[in-house]
Amino acid sequence: MVKLSKRMSKALRHDPGRVGLTLDPGGWVPVADLLSALGVDRGDIDAVVAGNDKQRFAIVRGPDGVERIRASQGHSVPVDLGLVPVEPPERLYHGTNEAAVASIRATGLNRGGRHHVHLSTDEPTARRVGGRRGGPVVILEVEAGAMARDGFEFYRSDNGVWLTAEVPTRYIS
Ligand code: HQG
């Protein structure tokens, strides 16, 4: 299931063309197209969508009756998720590898290949994110409230991840 989840992430976030898919502007593809592109059946996809710890994928039925699926966040291909700016909590957290900290202290958090910098509402979640690649984890506190008051926009993905374009060093403590 983890393997299928990774294949779905790749197809729906990073490289749809590789499996012959085209995402619509909002990042959606018909579920039926994903099934044939990946050679899996509906039960497999439903198991990933339902079982996914982070609710990475969402399925909706359009007004045309067609069921579509997309990744809720994390794309590297251009998509417009239709996210609306919302007021963030005063503090958000970013977990990262110790090796990245000097560079982050120098240049702030940047979005790399993704659309946004990803932030968590709580430290345990940030710790999990930061620990994905192994090695010692550092949790950075982001003064999200101050950023918002200074005009930076924040978004929250369907699955509760906080997103912003960048975090300058002065807001990182
Ligand atoms: C680091 C997972 C050096 C940043 C998670 C991170 C998340 C810098 C890495 C989602 C830097 C990027 C995103 C700078 C940032 N210098 N390093 N100036 N600014 N970095 O994977 O936040 O499983 O793109 O600290 O749960 O780790 O994909 O971002 O270590 O929600 O659903 O550059 O990915 O979700 O790594 O994780 P990533 P992330 P999924």
Side-chain angles (χ1 to χ4, degrees):
M1 202 148 99
V2 171
K3 191 154 176 256
L4 177 56
S5 178
K6 289 199 163 140
R7 290 179 68 210
M8 288 165 64
S9 283
K10 180 142 201 231
L12 296 174
R13 288 169 160 179
H14 306 302
D15 200 0
R18 193 187 164 94
V19 290
L21 290 173
T22 306
L23 308 185
D24 79 6
W28 300 97
V29 293
V31 174
D33 293 0
L34 181 68
L35 300 183
S36 42
L38 298 184
V40 295
D41 59 38
R42 180 61 193 254
D44 301 328
I45 298 283
D46 284 345
V48 170
V49 173
N52 193 289
D53 50 318
K54 285 188 61 190
Q55 241 93 65
R56 260 184 213 99
F57 307 101
I59 295 180
V60 298
R61 185 185 295 278
D64 56 2
V66 175
E67 280 194 298
R68 294 184 176 80
I69 183 168
R70 78 172 180 189
S72 294
Q73 36 72 231
H75 301 77
S76 56
V77 294
V79 290
D80 179 359
L81 296 176
L83 299 173
V84 184
V86 279
E87 195 180 315
E90 202 50 40
R91 279 203 168 202
L92 287 168
Y93 300 90
H94 181 86
T96 192
N97 198 278
E98 193 174 54
V101 171
S103 165
I104 292 170
R105 293 263 180 234
T107 64
L109 283 167
N110 51 50
R111 60 203 177 91
R114 303 203 191 229
H115 288 198
H116 298 98
V117 172
H118 289 226
L119 302 169
S120 311
T121 46
D122 60 279
E123 294 190 54
T125 305
R127 187 164 295 283
R128 271 198 299 282
V129 173
R132 291 185 347 275
R133 298 184 183 85
V137 178
V138 174
I139 309 291
L140 304 171
E141 287 186 10
V142 172
E143 314 271 352
M147 283 182 70
R149 288 188 288 279
D150 291 345
F152 289 86
E153 289 190 331
F154 284 81
Y155 308 89
R156 195 177 42 212
S157 69
D158 291 346
N159 59 338
V161 178
W162 283 89
L163 306 167
T164 194
E166 57 162 331
V167 180
T169 46
R170 63 183 179 282
Y171 301 107
I172 299 172
S173 51

